Amino acid sequence: MRTVDTREYLSILRQLTEEGRDVSLRITGSSMAPFLIHQRDTVYFRKPDRPLKKGDMVFYQRDSGQFVMHRICRVKKDGYYLVGDGQTQIEGPIRGDQIFGLIFQVCRKGKTMVPGDFWWEFFRHVWLRLIPFRHVLVKLEAAWKRKRR
């Protein structure tokens, strides 16, 4: 097994998207939970080929150089505002030139999902509207899981 610097690896993936290639990446981190889980799920993305809209999952690079995948929660004249599915803090504005990847497919729990699938649309529309209540919902889910054991 070879260890690769994440920033270097994502720089290569970004370059591949600029060349018009589709790329995939296994998820690391928890910001997109509960939809996507660390080291379990994989995302497939490409250079955006259409105007971005609320609910889209995108890869972007912060001015600090850090690469992030989050969901667009608002589109305004000054840029895009994004949030992870497991977060309540909205980041933005993010400039359009910072966004380099549009997620078009995921492999979640071993199953391929695309826009139009139930869970994809749930997180794109319903979960996005629940940002102020997410922390409570996540705590309730955890308590429910503990009780079922």
Side-chain angles (χ1 to χ4, degrees), residues 116-145:
D117 289 339
F118 176 81
W119 286 113
W120 187 292
E121 296 304 320
F122 174 83
F123 283 95
R124 171 187 267 171
H125 298 291
V126 178
W127 191 249
L128 201 52
R129 287 182 171 82
L130 297 174
I131 291 171
F133 310 104
R134 285 181 180 177
H135 62 287
V136 173
L137 295 170
V138 169
K139 286 181 183 178
L140 288 172
E141 179 195 27
W144 182 70
K145 282 182 178 180

Side-chain angles (χ1 to χ4, degrees), residues 1-148:
M1 179 180 277
R2 181 175 168 217
T3 303
V4 179
D5 177 66
T6 304
R7 189 175 290 191
E8 181 182 333
Y9 182 63
L10 279 163
S11 293
I12 293 167
L13 293 182
R14 181 177 187 169
Q15 183 178 359
L16 290 171
T17 63
E18 290 296 324
E19 295 170 4
R21 310 238 342 240
D22 293 350
V23 295
S24 64
L25 179 69
R26 183 164 300 246
I27 293 296
T28 59
S30 61
S31 71
M32 290 302 289
F35 183 51
L36 300 171
I37 303 299
H38 173 75
Q39 292 296 324
R40 182 192 72 186
D41 300 325
T42 302
V43 295
Y44 299 82
F45 60 98
R46 62 175 57 118
K47 183 177 180 175
D49 56 356
R50 60 168 174 75
L52 298 171
K53 60 187 182 216
K54 181 178 179 176
D56 284 342
M57 287 183 286
V58 296
F59 264 107
Y60 61 100
Q61 189 170 13
R62 290 179 173 147
D63 288 332
S64 68
Q66 182 181 19
F67 290 95
V68 182
M69 184 190 79
H70 281 161
R71 191 178 300 277
I72 297 173
C73 64
R74 278 186 235 131
V75 179
K76 292 188 170 189
K77 288 181 183 179
D78 63 343
Y80 298 92
Y81 291 79
L82 297 105
V83 65
D85 287 346
Q87 299 177 323
T88 57
Q89 179 115 12
I90 297 169
E91 179 179 0
I94 300 297
R95 300 181 315 275
D97 66 312
Q98 292 176 269
I99 298 173
F100 65 91
L102 173 64
I103 287 72
F104 64 88
Q105 177 179 309
V106 301
C107 182
R108 181 179 188 257
K109 297 182 181 179
K111 295 181 182 176
T112 300
M113 294 183 144
V114 296
D117 289 339
F118 176 81
W119 286 113
W120 187 292
E121 296 304 320
F122 174 83
F123 283 95
R124 171 187 267 171
H125 298 291
V126 178
W127 191 249
L128 201 52
R129 287 182 171 82
L130 297 174
I131 291 171
F133 310 104
R134 285 181 180 177
H135 62 287
V136 173
L137 295 170
V138 169
K139 286 181 183 178
L140 288 172
E141 179 195 27
W144 182 70
K145 282 182 178 180
R146 279 192 305 274
K147 191 173 182 175
R148 286 184 41 200

